[in-house]
Amino acid sequence: MAEPLTLALSKGRILEQTMPLLKPLGIEPLEDPATSRNLVLPTSDPNVRLIIVRATDVPTYVAYGGADLGVAGKDVLLEQGGHGLYEPVDLGIARCRLMVAGRPDADLEGRRIRVATKFVNVTRRHFAAQGRQVDLIKLYGSMELAPLVGLADAIVDLVDTGNTLRANGLAPLEPIADISARLVVNKGSMKLKHRAIKPMLGKIAESVDRNAGR
């Protein structure tokens, strides 16, 4: 029997919104990923298994062959570069925007500013494309706090509803990218397991279209 395809997912929003797309393919975990202590989960399809990893680790597992496929946010792919991966399907889930944000009256032009973010590579490229130099401060959470205490002039972060920004007296200032979850595939697996992966990609794309009402 051929080795099952391994699909890398992360807990949380992406996992919750990916499962309804896989269900029409007959792929459902035999254990609840939210509560199971197991990191490798069999599914109702014996030819597919799930591994549960950190969201930022999904591209790494797929690129280096720890998984054949994975679901990763476009923000993670932009930050890490997406090397060694195919990105065949935009799943249209976990939508948000990557934005520069700060105080509504912030004057960020004409001077070197400090920007707090966990997306240091994306942020550097964004400002470099504008010919602007910035000092980057890497943070992993509570990003909105940085402008409030004078740590940074602005932040770069994911914005969904904008409620957290508004609650802290901040506002979106510049868009960087529209973000959604993408299906990524290991390039070697695409060649060696083409017969299994190609039909799966087509079915997932059909499931995405149905989910979007197209």
Side-chain angles (χ1 to χ4, degrees), residues 55-125:
T56 52
D57 289 339
V58 168
T60 303
Y61 272 87
V62 177
Y64 287 93
D68 301 296
L69 311 95
V71 176
K74 185 63 177 178
D75 54 312
V76 176
L77 297 171
L78 287 171
E79 180 65 16
Q80 297 186 10
H83 302 299
L85 301 172
Y86 290 119
E87 191 182 312
V89 184
D90 180 348
L91 298 178
I93 58 174
R95 289 187 178 279
C96 55
R97 301 182 82 192
L98 189 61
M99 305 280 294
V100 180
R103 295 183 182 277
D105 57 352
D107 181 10
L108 306 182
E109 300 294 333
R111 63 187 179 94
R112 189 173 182 128
I113 63 171
R114 289 188 297 182
V115 181
T117 185
K118 67 179 179 180
F119 302 104
V120 292
N121 294 322
V122 175
T123 302
R124 186 180 291 110
R125 291 195 301 267

Side-chain angles (χ1 to χ4, degrees), residues 88-203:
V89 184
D90 180 348
L91 298 178
I93 58 174
R95 289 187 178 279
C96 55
R97 301 182 82 192
L98 189 61
M99 305 280 294
V100 180
R103 295 183 182 277
D105 57 352
D107 181 10
L108 306 182
E109 300 294 333
R111 63 187 179 94
R112 189 173 182 128
I113 63 171
R114 289 188 297 182
V115 181
T117 185
K118 67 179 179 180
F119 302 104
V120 292
N121 294 322
V122 175
T123 302
R124 186 180 291 110
R125 291 195 301 267
H126 172 73
F127 284 103
Q130 300 176 352
R132 298 165 65 186
Q133 290 187 325
V134 297
D135 295 320
L136 298 178
I137 301 172
K138 187 159 188 176
L139 294 180
Y140 293 93
S142 302
M143 215 68 64
E144 295 82 7
L145 183 60
L148 302 183
V149 299
L151 178 64
D153 300 292
I155 64 174
V156 168
D157 203 7
L158 296 175
V159 177
D160 186 5
T161 63
N163 290 340
T164 303
L165 290 178
R166 286 190 291 273
N168 288 281
L170 305 178
L173 301 177
E174 299 176 28
I176 295 179
D178 292 323
I179 303 299
S180 57
R182 311 297 172 97
L183 184 70
V184 293
V185 184
N186 174 274
K187 290 186 175 181
S189 296
M190 183 69 95
K191 293 178 182 177
L192 297 174
K193 301 181 180 181
H194 185 78
R195 286 189 175 184
I197 291 178
K198 187 69 173 179
M200 186 177 179
L201 296 182
K203 291 177 181 178

